[in-house]
Amino acid sequence: MAEQKIELRKIRDFGENLNDTLLFIRQNFKPLVKSFFAICAVFMVAKAILSGLNQFETFNSFSQIFKERMTKVPSTSVMVVIKPILTLLFVLITMVSMQVALGAYIKYYALHDGLKPGIEEVWSIFKKYFFKILLYSVPLGLYLIIGFALCIFPGIYLWVVFMPFPLIVMIEETQFADSWRRCFELIRENFWISLGIYLIAYLIYNFISAFIGLGVGAIMGIGAYLTTDDLATTAAIITSFLETFSYCFYIIFFICISFHYFTLVEIKEGTGMLRRINSIGTDSNNVTNSEEQY
C-alpha cells in the first residue's frame, strides 16, 4: 500500500501541526536527513571546531579550579575579542544554512506534488537562496535584538512574526521589503496560535539540546574533580560532536514552522482548497460519472 502524501496547503490546528510534522519526518526521514547533513555538515563542523576551542578553555579553567592550581590570569589578547565575533558569525551561518537546506526540501516537495528530492535537487535550490537569506538575516537579527531590549515582549512579537521569513523568500520568490510585509500580513489575527506552536516546537528542540549539553558538562565536571587526568580536550571533542548531533532535532522545529506557514497562507488565501476543488473538475473518474448521470 502506497504511503499517503501529506497535503502542505491546508489549515491545521495545534495538534494537527505536531502530528503532521512527525508524520512528514517519518515519511521523508532518509532523504531529508541525508540532504540536511550533506549540505550543512561543513558549516556545522566549522562551528563545532570553534565552539570546541572555546569549550576547551572553559573546561580547562574549571579543571584547574577543581584542582586548586589556577596559575595564570586569562589572556586579554585580541583573540579574546575575535573569537566571540567569529563564534557569532558561524552561529548565524550555520542557522541560515539549516533553514535554507530544509526550506529547499520543502519547496521542492511542494512544487513536485509530494515527490521526495535528492541531495542534488536540494542543493540546486539551496545555492540560489543561501547568500540572499544570509544577507537578509542581518537586519532581521538587529530588529530582534532591539525588540528584546525594549521590555522583552516586542522581541517575542517580532520573533513570532519573522519566523516564516526564510520560507516566504524561498517559496514566494519575494525580496526583503515584500517578505517583511508578508510576515506581518500572515500573522495578523493569528499571533497567539503561532506563538504556541513555535514555542512548543522550540522548547522540544532546546530541551533535547540542553539535556545533552548539561549531561556531558556534569559528567566532565565530576570527572575533573575525581581524576588527575586533564579532561579538557576530551570534553571539548565530545561536546562539539554532540552539539552537531543535536542539530537533528532542529528539523522538528523547522518543519513545524513550515506547516504553520502553509496554514497561515491557507487561512488568508485558501489556495490549497481552490486547488483541490479544481482537481475534482479535472478528475477523469468524476467526468465519467457526470456523463453517466445525463
Side-chain angles (χ1 to χ4, degrees):
M1 181 178 178
E3 66 179 14
Q4 184 179 1
K5 295 178 182 178
I6 296 178
E7 176 66 39
L8 295 178
R9 297 182 182 274
K10 69 180 234 183
I11 297 175
R12 296 175 173 86
D13 60 22
F14 187 88
E16 289 174 328
N17 183 289
L18 293 177
N19 289 336
D20 282 358
T21 293
L22 297 177
L23 178 60
F24 181 87
I25 293 173
R26 182 175 63 81
Q27 290 182 352
N28 295 268
F29 184 80
K30 187 175 180 179
L32 181 61
V33 173
K34 282 176 62 177
S35 300
F36 180 68
F37 280 105
I39 293 172
C40 301
V42 63
F43 304 105
M44 295 176 183
V45 170
K47 179 183 174 295
I49 291 172
L50 197 57
S51 298
L53 293 174
N54 294 330
Q55 290 164 1
F56 171 78
E57 294 182 357
T58 302
F59 281 119
N60 193 43
S61 297
F62 276 116
S63 179
Q64 292 181 3
I65 290 171
F66 281 130
K67 294 174 172 47
E68 298 180 351
R69 55 184 175 86
M70 181 69 77
T71 57
K72 62 180 181 178
V73 178
S75 173
T76 57
S77 66
V78 68
M79 287 303 295
V80 174
V81 178
I82 292 177
K83 278 198 293 187
I85 294 175
L86 285 176
T87 301
L88 284 174
L89 178 62
F90 276 97
V91 167
L92 176 63
I93 292 173
T94 303
M95 293 304 297
V96 170
S97 70
M98 293 192 298
Q99 291 171 355
V100 178
L102 294 172
Y105 192 98
I106 293 292
K107 181 179 175 73
Y108 186 94
Y109 188 93
L111 290 177
H112 294 83
D113 195 27
L115 183 64
K116 300 174 184 178
I119 296 174
E120 295 81 6
E121 290 81 9
V122 176
W123 170 250
S124 66
I125 300 174
F126 176 90
K127 63 185 180 181
K128 179 181 178 181
Y129 294 101
F130 174 70
F131 289 105
K132 184 177 184 179
I133 293 178
L134 180 63
L135 179 64
Y136 289 171
S137 296
V138 176
L140 284 185
L142 293 176
Y143 276 111
L144 285 174
I145 291 172
I146 294 171
F148 279 107
L150 299 174
C151 301
I152 304 298
F153 183 77
I156 295 175
Y157 177 77
L158 292 175
W159 178 73
V160 174
V161 168
F162 294 135
M163 196 61 68
F165 187 92
L167 284 165
I168 292 172
V169 173
M170 297 178 68
I171 293 176
E172 302 187 18
E173 300 281 355
T174 53
Q175 300 302 316
F176 183 85
D178 293 330
S179 302
W180 173 283
R181 287 192 292 269
R182 181 67 162 164
C183 286
F184 283 96
E185 175 188 335
L186 291 178
I187 205 64
R188 192 176 299 124
E189 299 179 2
N190 296 289
F191 173 79
W192 293 109
I193 183 64
S194 302
L195 175 62
I197 290 173
Y198 298 157
L199 188 59
I200 293 299
Y202 187 75
L203 287 175
I204 292 172
Y205 165 57
N206 273 275
F207 176 79
I208 297 172
S209 301
F211 180 78
I212 293 172
L214 289 174
V216 173
I219 292 171
M220 291 302 169
I222 295 171
Y225 180 76
L226 296 177
T227 182
T228 57
D229 297 333
D230 188 0
L231 297 177
T233 303
T234 304
I237 293 172
I238 293 175
T239 52
S240 297
F241 171 78
L242 290 176
E243 179 184 8
T244 302
F245 171 74
S246 69
Y247 286 136
C248 289
F249 302 100
Y250 183 80
I251 296 174
I252 299 174
F253 178 56
F254 192 87
I255 299 301
C256 270
I257 295 172
S258 302
F259 280 138
H260 191 59
Y261 158 74
F262 286 112
T263 293
L264 295 176
V265 171
E266 188 68 11
I267 290 172
K268 293 293 181 182
E269 301 170 357
T271 53
M273 180 63 71
L274 289 174
R275 187 171 67 83
R276 289 191 291 273
I277 292 174
N278 291 333
S279 70
I280 294 173
T282 58
D283 185 80
S284 58
N285 293 329
N286 288 336
V287 172
T288 303
N289 292 337
S290 298
E291 290 175 350
E292 290 175 354
Q293 291 176 1
Y294 290 97

